Amino acid sequence: MAAPTQISANKCFGGYNRRYKHASSSLSCDMTFTVYFPPAADETAAAPSKVPVLYYLSGLTCTDENVIQKSGVQRACAQHGIAFIAPDTSPRGLNVEGEADSWDFGVGAGFYVNATVDKWKNWRMYDYITKELPALLASSFPTLDTANASIMGHSMGGHGALTIALKNPGAYKSLSAFAPICNPCNVPWGTKAFSGYFGEDNKELWKAHDATELVKSYSGPALPTLVDIGSGDSFLEVQLKPEAFQAAADAAGFPVTMRMQEGYDHSYFFMASFIDEHVAFHAKHLKA
């Protein structure tokens, strides 16, 4: 596995945002990702130390840069000594016909699944997030303790964080999400993506990537889970369906803290308001 190439670095709260590029075997294209190294874990530190990692999965249309530039997450990561990993949201540059026709499908909209429809065979973001990227980080950055990891996400990335954690019991110490797509089998964003990537008739595979369906049969170790949603989110009723996930989790005895934040919308203004609390939540479990 070839080491990634650094393409930028910015000092922030004593640590560094370092952006990298590498050739992805899962996706058959070059991919970018950003790591925020807290001060103690950066390569410029006098005696770098190993730190736990927090994966962040972005939403529709985003790249790895949105959360790095807009959320202010670095302050809390520096305080708690946690590395923050921000990957991209889909393959790019493959020039598949129609890949950029819609903002909610194709480029920027990988939904963190492995597509089975042949046209989209390189849309394998599930493998990229769960296998290739962790292996690359472990082999390239000795200060990242990839065996001690948590995961979070926003919107489409919240869907990704929920489903990936539920499908991989024990892989993550904690889980959180902002405004996640909780029941994609039954909302327009999800049905469009799953029809395209899996085929319209492959409903069992749809369910295998739906947090509301997955939580019903979760039998892994305890997974502390925090979900924040804004009451002013314009996508709340039609696209997110948090009540479906809450009901399924309650029926299954899966503990989840779901908070409705009054007046907040779907944006990074919402995320920036509560991101420190999410990092502190993960730090508690990563350092238990």
Side-chain angles (χ1 to χ4, degrees):
M1 183 177 293
T5 301
Q6 181 174 296
I7 54 179
S8 67
N10 302 95
K11 192 167 186 177
C12 187
F13 296 108
Y16 276 88
N17 300 315
R18 297 188 182 276
R19 195 175 192 222
Y20 299 93
K21 181 178 182 179
H22 74 109
S24 169
S25 58
S26 300
L27 309 177
S28 301
C29 66
D30 287 344
M31 291 291 286
T32 58
F33 64 90
T34 298
V35 178
Y36 175 70
F37 293 91
D42 191 71
E43 61 188 30
T44 60
S49 57
K50 210 172 184 73
V51 298
V53 302
L54 175 57
Y55 292 96
Y56 172 85
L57 306 184
S58 291
L60 290 165
T61 75
C62 291
T63 70
D64 57 299
E65 292 189 293
N66 297 75
V67 67
I68 293 298
Q69 296 176 358
K70 296 180 179 181
S71 72
V73 69
Q74 297 91 338
R75 183 195 302 271
C77 287
Q79 176 187 345
H80 293 285
I82 294 173
F84 188 77
I85 316 297
D88 204 348
T89 50
S90 77
R92 296 180 190 268
L94 292 173
N95 298 316
V96 174
E97 182 184 2
E99 68 177 15
D101 287 355
S102 301
W103 65 272
D104 54 359
F105 184 82
V107 172
F111 271 81
Y112 306 99
V113 302
N114 288 343
T116 57
V117 171
D118 188 62
K119 179 178 179 179
W120 304 103
K121 63 184 178 182
N122 295 119
W123 264 247
R124 301 185 63 81
M125 288 300 296
Y126 179 84
D127 277 357
Y128 181 74
I129 296 299
T130 62
K131 298 177 182 178
E132 184 176 3
L133 183 59
L136 180 67
L137 296 171
S139 65
S140 302
F141 306 111
T143 63
L144 302 185
D145 184 4
T146 55
N148 188 16
S150 290
I151 191 167
M152 65 181 296
H154 171 235
S155 193
M156 177 187 73
H159 142 78
L162 292 175
T163 56
I164 285 173
L166 291 168
K167 288 170 71 66
N168 294 275
Y172 306 97
K173 299 292 180 62
S174 51
L175 162 67
S176 78
F178 288 96
I181 304 170
C182 293
N183 190 198
C185 286
N186 293 308
V187 303
W189 279 341
T191 56
K192 179 176 180 176
F194 289 1
S195 295
Y197 293 137
F198 300 137
E200 293 184 4
D201 299 324
N202 203 345
K203 295 299 174 65
E204 289 305 309
L205 190 52
W206 289 29
K207 291 180 180 179
H209 292 277
D210 185 312
T212 297
E213 296 295 329
L214 289 167
V215 77
K216 294 175 182 179
S217 59
Y218 180 80
S219 59
L223 180 60
T225 301
L226 171 65
V227 177
D228 271 329
I229 298 170
S231 68
D233 191 323
S234 60
F235 301 114
L236 176 57
E237 294 185 8
V238 175
Q239 300 284 15
L240 305 185
K241 300 294 183 185
E243 69 281 359
F245 179 74
Q246 183 75 74
D250 290 346
F254 180 92
V256 55
T257 299
M258 187 172 291
R259 309 187 303 188
M260 186 64 70
Q261 304 292 1
E262 184 64 31
Y264 286 90
D265 58 18
H266 198 76
S267 71
Y268 276 93
F269 297 114
F270 164 48
M271 287 184 54
S273 300
F274 299 99
I275 195 78
D276 287 5
E277 294 179 27
H278 280 241
V279 174
F281 166 78
H282 290 295
K284 174 183 175 181
H285 298 290
L286 287 167
K287 299 187 173 185

